[in-house]
């Protein structure tokens, strides 16, 4: 039986502001869309927090046996500066400053983004569509919105009529903004705005001569508004009604509010059943943002090359640090906080290393089934990873007690225990055991030393010692191979 049948998941829905029992549109299947990065610069650690949380949610769905289609887009058509409807395309601006093609900017930062996610042990989404790959579909959706009477063209640009939409719908349903406050950041002071109402947002913008990224359309040579691509790509790959839409809290307004308005205009119903938002990552008490310079890059943590860090940390320590906080809480990053997480992480990994060598007894003094239930209950309660981690540490206590002979476990319980610990630590949280890697590094050092001693013994024609080193290593499963380039070894 699939695990999801016995695990009723509850998800905090930003739309209803309550925890709701999760029921997918199609039984056993989940469609999840997460707003991806804008590839005009490196993703910072705050961005990574959002993607990392959804990676863990994705991993948990897979663990429960759901068939998941996880779509995370790449915004490569460029948002306008300050996320306003006016201003310069950020990708184009970067390209102009660096005198390179906009698609070169896109390629550089897409590759970098993937590189970072790989180092941080992310699973790849099922589909990773790009905005520039869906211009045709975006133009089609604009036509549909115009046909429904909620889009209007002025001077080659097309806008969404928020006031008209709000007559029969609730604009502000997600963000809780009142319509009079839901004004889009537009430079209206210079009198250049073509919009009917300050609340309206762009679906298509006519490109001025400075604008490099441009496509032909029925209205002008231009580019799509920045909210459109997610409506288009989510409905294309997940249908016009899907399970989960996620992103950072700062995307709630205007981005997700506008997505709902666009999608609902076309389909006639709300596009998403569960809206999920991750909270901010602070850096020393301040919001992490590229625009203020208060940010740290994921790569800098791995190398230690940032003045706020006391040293380098592994990607799993960063993952562990993130998962020690609830995704809906603000998390404050600092070198001290990371050092504290590292201690906990190492303790967990040491226990995971000794877990495999535990031996069983005739009876269990530890209640594995109750412990296991608590682990699932934590994750089923809106992915409460900090509570899960506290239960995993109860598991660490079991491991140490069994190892020291202070507790016992039957072979059946041991199998269940090892399977559950491994599932949550490695499959669901996505941690890697760096400690094991360190010990294999130590083995390498010891074997290399023995190879060197054997070489010296052979040079001294001490065949007995040379053979003894070879045979005793072989007896513990390490085979030496003499070749033209020297001696190598393999572990069986
Ligand atoms: Zn989006």
């Amino acid at each position: 039986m699939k695990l999801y049948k016995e695990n009723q998941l509850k998800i905090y829905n930003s739309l209803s502001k309550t925890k709701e029992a999760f029921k997918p549109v199609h039984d056993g299947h989940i469609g999840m869309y997460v707003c991806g990065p804008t590839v005009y610069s490196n993703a910072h650690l705050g961005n990574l927090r959002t993607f990392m949380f959804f990676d863990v949610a994705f991993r948990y769905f897979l663990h429960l046996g759901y068939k998941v289609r996880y779509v995370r887009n790449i915004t490569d058509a460029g948002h306008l500066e300050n996320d306003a409807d006016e201003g310069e395309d950020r990708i184009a601006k970067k390209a102009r400053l660096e005198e390179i093609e906009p698609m070169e900017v896109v390629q550089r930062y897409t590759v970098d983004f993937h590189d970072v996610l790989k180092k941080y042990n992310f699973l790849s989404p099922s589909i990773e569509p790009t905005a520039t790959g869906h211009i045709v579909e975006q133009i089609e959706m604009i036509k549909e919105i115009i046909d429904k009477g909620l889009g209007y063209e002025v001077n080659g640009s097309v806008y969404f009529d928020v006031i008209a939409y709000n007559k029969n719908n609730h604009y502000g349903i997600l963000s809780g903004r009142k319509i009079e406050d839901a004004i889009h950041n537009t430079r209206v002071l210079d009198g250049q705005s073509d919009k009917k109402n300050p609340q309206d947002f762009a679906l298509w913008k006519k490109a001025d001569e400075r604008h490099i990224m441009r496509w032909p359309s029925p209205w002008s040579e231009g580019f799509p508004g920045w909210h459109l691509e997610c409506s288009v790509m989510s409905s294309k790959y997940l249908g016009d009604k899907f399970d989960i839409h996620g992103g950072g809290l700062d995307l709630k307004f205007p981005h997700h509010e506008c997505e709902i308005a666009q999608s609902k205009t076309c389909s006639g119903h709300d596009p998403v059943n569960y809206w999920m938002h991750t909270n901010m990552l602070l850096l020393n008490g301040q919001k992490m943002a590229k625009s203020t310079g208060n940010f740290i890059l994921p790569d800098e943590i791995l190398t230690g090359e940032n003045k706020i860090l006391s040293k380098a940390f592994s990607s799993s320590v960063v993952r562990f640090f993130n998962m020690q906080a609830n995704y809906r809480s603000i998390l404050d990053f600092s070198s001290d906080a990371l050092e504290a997480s590292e201690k906990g992480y190492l303790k967990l990994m040491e226990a995971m290393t000794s877990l495999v060598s535990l031996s069983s007894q005739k009876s269990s003094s530890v209640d594995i089934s109750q412990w296991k239930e608590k682990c699932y209950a934590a994750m089923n309660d809106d992915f409460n990873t900090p509570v899960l981690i506290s239960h995993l540490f109860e598991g660490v206590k079991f491991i140490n007690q069994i190892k020291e002979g202070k507790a016992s476990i039957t072979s059946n319980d041991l199998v269940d225990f090892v399977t559950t610990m491994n599932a949550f630590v490695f499959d669901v949280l996505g941690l890697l055991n760096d400690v094991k890697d360190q010990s294999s590094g130590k083995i390498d050092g010891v074997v290399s030393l023995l190879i060197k001693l054997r070489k010296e013994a052979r040079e001294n024609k001490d065949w007995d010692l040379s053979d003894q080193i070879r045979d005793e290593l072989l007896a513990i499963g390490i085979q030496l191979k003499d070749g033209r380039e020297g001696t190598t070894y393999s572990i069986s």
Side-chain angles (χ1 to χ4, degrees), residues 34-71:
V34 173
C35 293
T38 302
V39 281
Y40 70 99
S41 65
N42 309 93
H44 61 64
L45 198 66
N47 308 129
L48 200 75
R49 182 188 183 192
T50 297
F51 301 131
M52 196 178 277
F53 167 71
F54 287 106
D55 180 63
V56 169
F58 180 40
R59 286 167 171 275
Y60 189 53
F61 292 142
L62 294 175
H63 173 71
L64 291 181
Y66 282 110
K67 200 164 182 298
V68 191
R69 183 176 288 171
Y70 172 24
V71 182

Side-chain angles (χ1 to χ4, degrees), residues 36 47 57 79 85 218 220 232 244 262 346 366 384 388 420:
N47 308 129
H79 288 180
D85 293 340
S220 64
V232 163
I244 296 167
Q262 292 164 159
L346 291 174
V366 286
N384 202 334
L388 169 70
T420 309

Side-chain angles (χ1 to χ4, degrees), residues 139-301:
I139 290 171
E140 287 308 306
M141 189 175 255
I142 297 170
K143 284 186 195 162
E144 215 180 320
I145 293 170
I146 294 174
D147 286 348
K148 298 264 159 87
L150 293 179
Y152 60 90
E153 188 211 330
V154 183
N155 297 327
S157 293
V158 182
Y159 297 94
F160 187 92
D161 193 334
V162 169
I163 301 299
Y165 170 81
N166 196 51
K167 280 182 189 144
N168 297 314
N169 302 278
H170 179 191
Y171 186 80
I173 189 170
L174 180 67
S175 61
R177 298 244 180 161
K178 293 201 181 87
I179 189 81
E180 53 271 25
D181 300 331
I183 292 170
H184 285 265
N185 214 356
T186 310
R187 292 182 303 166
V188 283
L189 291 175
D190 56 10
Q192 292 301 303
S193 181
D194 295 328
K195 299 198 286 189
K196 278 201 235 168
N197 319 291
Q199 286 89 346
D200 297 353
F201 58 88
L203 296 169
W204 187 264
K205 284 294 285 180
K206 181 181 175 179
D208 62 22
E209 62 289 344
R210 286 178 312 158
H211 214 97
I212 323 171
M213 287 182 113
R214 51 171 76 209
W215 293 267
S217 82
W219 314 285
S220 64
E221 205 172 78
F223 52 96
W226 74 285
H227 311 301
L228 196 63
E229 64 182 77
C230 290
S231 281
V232 163
M233 296 190 277
S234 61
S235 60
K236 174 160 180 168
Y237 297 111
L238 300 172
D240 59 21
K241 184 93 178 163
F242 59 95
D243 299 302
I244 296 167
H245 192 314
L249 204 56
D250 53 342
L251 293 184
K252 237 184 185 182
F253 185 87
H255 188 52
H256 292 160
E257 200 70 66
C258 295
E259 268 189 63
I260 294 176
Q262 292 164 159
S263 300
K264 201 174 172 192
T265 298
C266 296
S267 72
H269 53 76
D270 283 321
V272 176
N273 282 340
Y274 304 87
W275 282 91
M276 296 181 72
H277 292 97
T278 52
N279 212 322
M280 275 184 297
L281 182 66
L282 303 182
L283 179 58
N284 296 323
Q286 301 284 319
K287 188 188 174 190
M288 209 177 279
K290 271 283 164 66
S291 51
T292 57
N294 188 51
F295 66 91
I296 186 164
L297 297 179
D299 259 341
E300 291 172 338
I301 300 174

Side-chain angles (χ1 to χ4, degrees), residues 96-114:
R96 195 168 48 75
L97 291 176
E98 298 190 6
E99 293 182 338
I100 52 177
E101 270 293 316
M103 282 319 260
E104 243 176 302
V105 176
V106 164
Q107 174 71 1
R108 180 192 299 168
Y109 293 108
T110 303
V111 168
D112 179 79
F113 178 65
H114 288 150

